[in-house]
Amino acid sequence: MRLDQEEQSTNIEDRRGIRVSPGLATGGIGTIAILLIGLFLGIDPSVLLQNNTNVDTSQPPPAQQGSAPDETREFVSRVLGSTERTWSDTFQQSGRQYEKPTLVLFSDSVRSACGFTSAASGPFYCPEELKVYLDLDFFRELRNRFQAPGDFAQAYVIAHEIGHHVQNQLGILQKMQGRQSRSGSQANAVSVRVELQADCLAGIWASSANRTRKILQEGDVEEGLNAAAQIGDDRIQKRAQGYVVPEGFTHGSAQQRVRWFRRGLASGDPNQCDTFSVGQV
């Protein structure tokens, strides 16, 4: 990727090195919101609803610990800055104002308005506080465990979570929460459509950023498509348990995720990302 023309975002909250421990659950609307967020690793969201957290303030601040390479933080901030520019322009064209999210870097576990989350859950978006949470070790997992190396694969992960923020800004997440609560056994199917739309919106970002700043280099698109495929529900289930249960999908199959990411990338048109109106995704 070529990000030298992209400005670093200042909306980074660095909590790396701050240790948290599970506490008593508080419940509330956050427990509902987190069901919609979904997890890249296919973890049951109910795991996240069991506990709140307490912060151990005896630990020194992240800046003193330097727990991750600065170049990785810079990469994340430039990708985030690129998404901010893309979506600010896109919203402005439709007469809206884009409220920039905050990206929280953490290590091991973190407390958010959506509850206690361990790094094993993967990156996630918390709509209650307009924040994306990311443990940078996930990039290592993406490369080694999921066989999805490359900087554009990492950028796709960030852009997917920002896609959830765009959905939140447009009121889509709230509508889908209501649909999930009414759909009962079809709640997972609704979640799949939410996640596939976020994949498509990630493609919209990549298309726009490349059109205006030429960020894509040879092999980048293949990296992104491979990442989308490797974290498909079918492949995750196959690795974890040796067989696939489509009824348990929450993010979509490898084929679906690739198709919708490619659709956004090829069209550059957010109107092409309506996963809720099509018969089959």
Side-chain angles (χ1 to χ4, degrees), residues 56-215:
D56 183 351
T57 57
S58 65
Q59 298 299 307
Q64 293 179 347
Q65 293 194 354
S67 58
D70 288 341
E71 58 266 26
T72 306
R73 185 186 191 282
E74 179 181 341
F75 169 79
V76 170
S77 68
R78 287 189 185 277
V79 173
L80 182 61
S82 180
T83 65
E84 290 172 346
R85 181 178 56 79
T86 292
W87 291 114
S88 292
D89 291 346
T90 301
F91 271 53
Q92 186 176 37
Q93 291 169 11
S94 61
R96 295 174 176 266
Q97 183 174 357
Y98 179 67
E99 184 174 355
K100 298 176 183 178
T102 297
L103 192 151
V104 180
L105 298 176
F106 73 97
S107 52
D108 299 326
S109 57
V110 71
R111 177 177 62 184
S112 74
C114 294
F116 170 74
T117 308
S118 71
S121 300
F124 68 97
Y125 174 66
C126 183
E128 287 188 28
E129 53 186 354
L130 311 184
K131 290 183 178 181
V132 169
Y133 286 81
L134 172 65
D135 185 325
L136 294 179
D137 280 347
F138 180 76
F139 291 159
R140 177 175 52 80
E141 288 287 303
L142 192 65
R143 179 181 66 252
N144 298 335
R145 181 180 178 185
F146 294 99
Q147 301 300 304
D151 52 3
F152 190 66
Q154 298 172 2
Y156 155 73
V157 169
I158 297 170
H160 171 94
E161 298 304 332
I162 296 301
H164 286 313
H165 178 68
V166 172
Q167 292 172 316
N168 193 30
Q169 294 281 280
L170 297 175
I172 294 172
L173 288 187
Q174 296 86 335
K175 291 180 181 178
M176 291 307 107
Q177 285 175 348
R179 183 180 295 186
Q180 277 192 312
S181 65
R182 296 189 301 269
S183 60
S185 61
Q186 295 300 310
N188 279 359
V190 175
S191 177
V192 166
R193 290 177 185 266
V194 170
E195 297 297 336
L196 293 178
Q197 184 177 64
D199 281 334
C200 186
L201 293 173
I204 296 295
W205 158 73
S207 175
S208 175
N210 190 55
R211 184 173 62 254
T212 56
R213 298 289 174 89
K214 305 299 181 184
I215 68 167

Side-chain angles (χ1 to χ4, degrees), residues 15-21 54-60 107-109:
R15 298 189 200 172
R16 291 173 295 171
I18 296 180
R19 189 171 61 195
V20 297
S21 57
N54 297 316
V55 177
D56 183 351
T57 57
S58 65
Q59 298 299 307
S107 52
D108 299 326
S109 57

